[in-house]
Every structure is written in C-alpha cells, then in structure tokens.
C-alpha cells in the first residue's frame, strides 16, 4: 500500500538507500534535510529545512501531513563537533521531529539510534553482560554521540508512554550497525576512510565496532517491513539492525580474544561467522532477514 512518508536526513550515507528503497516500493517520499542531494532520486520530493527549528519543523510536517515518519537526520559521527553541540543537536532534532510527526497526524514514527550507545570502546574499559549483544543489554554510552542516540530512543519511549497503550500513533527506534553503502562494495571508502577489503584484511580496523556492519539496502528493507508490521511490535520498541555475519574472515571467538583479552570468555560462543550483535528480535517480531553479506557483495578478493 502506497503511503506518504517523510524521511529526514535522506541525503546521507544511509538516507540515500532508504529514500531509494521507499520510492521503489511505491511510497510518496518527502525527504527533509538541511542540504539537498547532488543526485536526487526520481519521483522524490526534497525540501531543505533546519530541523533544529521547532516551529519550522512543525509547520512543514503539518503542511505535508505524512502517514509515517523515518527520522535519520543527525550529526552522524562521534566527535565530529564539540560534545555539547553534538548532544544538543541530535537530541533536539529527535524531539522536534517526533513531536511534529505526532502533531501532523502520522501514525508511525521511527527514530535512528546507534549500536555505539552500548559503550564499546570506552577508555574506561568495557565488559558487557554477554555476547552477542541484544536489546536486553543496558546501554552505557561514553560520548555525546552515543548519549544523543540513547536520548533518541528514550524520546520514542517517552511519547509511547505519554500517549498510552490505546494510542493510534506507534513509535520505535532502531540501531543500524556500521553502514555499508552499495558503492562501497566496489571500493569506495567507508565512513572511516578505509575500504571494505581493508577492514577485512586488518581486523584492528573493524574491532572498535566489534566487527558489526549492515548493507544500507537491508536497513531500507527493515524499515519498510517495520512500517508494514508495526502492530507486531510493542510501542516504543528498539531493534538492532545488522548483517547476519561479522565483518571478519575468521570466527570472532578467535579474533576478539586477540584484541580484547577481557572479552575472551564472552566470545567463546561466537563461532563460525556469528556476529557480536544479535538481530533475533527483528527476525522474531517482524520477520526481517538481511539479504546481503560481505561474502556475497564484495567485489574484491580478501
């Protein structure tokens, strides 16, 4: 069924794939972003807006009258701005968009979070309760970016609580793993500047994110399915969205102890190609399954 969907941040690495996926699925897509893309997707309406401006955001959303909203707009990388700026920007955008979505009559609102909220890489040390990580593990963000994404999840949960179990509006948030855009399989640099092949050849490059990754097109598929099957999820639900395997050529049960000895006992079950981030909840609740892996997509020998 075709719906009118606002996607914020549609010009970014993940946003482009989501916009393309929703347009290809037949939805009427309105992309809101501060900067418009150099190569717009055919059939998609683009509007430039400062989502930090609450009044402008509410006015624009009411004019559009979306049925669903996917919020991707944010400062996308830790430490890309002073900590207080990053926190204020991402938290404010998340709240403005969610509030405007409700006021405009949207019935489903999805906010982008990040696996980094779990706290891995903390200079103070990090040992989780278990591996693989799942949605039951308590987030322990150690930088403003991670905190801002945790706040986004709490904003979704706050609105779900505020509106109650009988609310006609449903909320969710998702944690997309290290996003690989389609062109990056062909050698384009990833978000950190390395190629996918380089990340596989040198485990230390993928280790800071515990070897997590996801194809941007699989995220688009997840979001399309979530909007279709929102009634299966509890209001305010959170999902990890990642590949079915790890960004590694050897089992994580071997690699993790070499790089993070303190996690050795937790990694014993990560045999074969098992990732350190569980996507079982997305599988069980809405029936989503990632279709793409570095093993099938990478156009280079490793």
């Amino acid at each position: 069924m075709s719906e009118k969907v606002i996607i914020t941040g549609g010009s970014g690495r993940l946003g482009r794939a989501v916009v393309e996926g929703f347009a290809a699925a037949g939805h009427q897509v309105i992309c809101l972003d501060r900067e418009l893309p150099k190569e717009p997707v055919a059939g998609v309406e683009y509007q430039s807006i400062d989502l930090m401006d609450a009044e402008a955001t509410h006015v624009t959303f009411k004019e559009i009258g979306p049925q669903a909203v996917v919020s991707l707009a944010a400062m996308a990388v830790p430490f890309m701005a002073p900590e207080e700026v990053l926190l204020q920007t991402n938290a404010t955008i998340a709240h403005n968009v969610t509030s405007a979505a409700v006021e405009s009559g949207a019935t489903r609102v999805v906010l982008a979070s990040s696996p980094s909220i779990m706290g891995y890489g903390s200079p103070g040390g990090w040992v989780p309760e278990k591996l693989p990580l799942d949605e039951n593990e308590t987030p322990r963000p150690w930088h403003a970016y991670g905190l801002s994404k945790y706040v986004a999840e709490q904003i979704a949960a706050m609105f779900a609580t505020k509106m109650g179990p009988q609310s006609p509006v449903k909320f969710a948030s998702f944690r997309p793993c290290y996003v690989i855009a389609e062109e990056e399989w062909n050698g384009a640099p990833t978000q950190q500047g390395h190629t996918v092949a380089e990340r596989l050849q040198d485990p230390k490059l993928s280790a800071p994110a515990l070897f997590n990754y996801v194809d941007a097109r699989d995220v688009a598929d997840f979001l399309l399915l979530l909007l279709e099957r929102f009634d299966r999820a509890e209001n305010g639900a959170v999902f990890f969205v990642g590949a079915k395997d790890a960004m590694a050529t050897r089992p994580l049960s071997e690699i993790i102890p070499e790089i993070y000895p303190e996690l050795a006992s937790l990694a014993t079950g990560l045999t074969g190609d098992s990732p350190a981030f569980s996507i079982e909840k997305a599988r069980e609740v809405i029936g989503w399954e990632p279709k793409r892996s570095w093993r099938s997509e990478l156009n280079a020998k490793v």
Side-chain angles (χ1 to χ4, degrees), residues 212-226:
N212 78 56
Y213 79 102
V214 67
D215 188 295
R217 295 165 293 178
D218 279 330
V219 179
D221 291 343
F222 164 81
L223 291 167
L224 284 164
L225 195 60
L226 177 60

Side-chain angles (χ1 to χ4, degrees), residues 58-204:
H58 277 75
V59 169
T60 299
F61 273 59
K62 283 188 176 181
E63 288 175 349
I64 295 171
Q67 290 161 288
V69 174
V70 176
S71 180
L72 307 176
M75 287 187 167
V77 182
F79 310 113
M80 66 180 291
E83 292 284 80
E84 67 277 8
V85 173
L86 213 159
L87 176 60
Q88 182 180 23
T89 300
N90 287 357
T92 300
I93 288 175
H95 188 274
N96 286 350
V97 168
T98 307
S99 177
V102 172
E103 292 289 326
S104 66
T107 58
R108 283 145 298 154
V109 184
V110 187
L111 300 178
S113 179
S114 167
S116 69
I117 72 172
M118 305 313 296
Y120 50 81
S122 170
W126 179 79
V127 178
E129 295 177 9
K130 63 181 184 301
L131 289 175
L133 295 167
D134 61 27
E135 294 83 358
N136 293 320
E137 176 84 17
T138 302
R140 288 182 279 160
W142 63 271
H143 45 56
Y145 174 79
L147 178 58
S148 74
K149 289 300 186 177
Y150 192 25
V151 169
E153 292 187 5
Q154 296 305 308
I155 287 171
M158 179 193 79
F159 274 89
T161 299
K162 176 182 178 180
M163 301 189 71
Q166 304 305 316
S167 169
V169 190
K170 304 299 180 184
F171 306 88
S173 52
F174 71 105
R175 302 165 180 169
C177 289
Y178 190 88
V179 173
I180 304 296
E182 188 173 359
E183 65 271 13
E184 292 167 13
W185 296 122
N186 299 316
T190 63
Q191 196 169 36
Q192 288 182 323
H194 316 104
T195 65
V196 173
E198 288 170 339
R199 292 178 71 81
L200 286 165
Q201 290 163 355
D202 184 357
K204 291 182 180 179

Side-chain angles (χ1 to χ4, degrees), residues 214-263:
V214 67
D215 188 295
R217 295 165 293 178
D218 279 330
V219 179
D221 291 343
F222 164 81
L223 291 167
L224 284 164
L225 195 60
L226 177 60
L227 291 192
E228 180 184 326
R229 300 177 177 177
F230 232 110
D231 59 333
R232 301 186 184 184
E234 63 178 331
N235 208 358
V238 179
F239 296 93
F240 274 116
V241 179
K244 61 186 176 183
D245 58 356
M247 180 69 78
T249 58
R250 290 188 292 138
L252 296 191
S253 57
E254 297 177 12
I255 300 177
I256 286 179
E258 294 172 1
I259 301 175
Y260 301 115
E262 67 275 19
L263 303 182

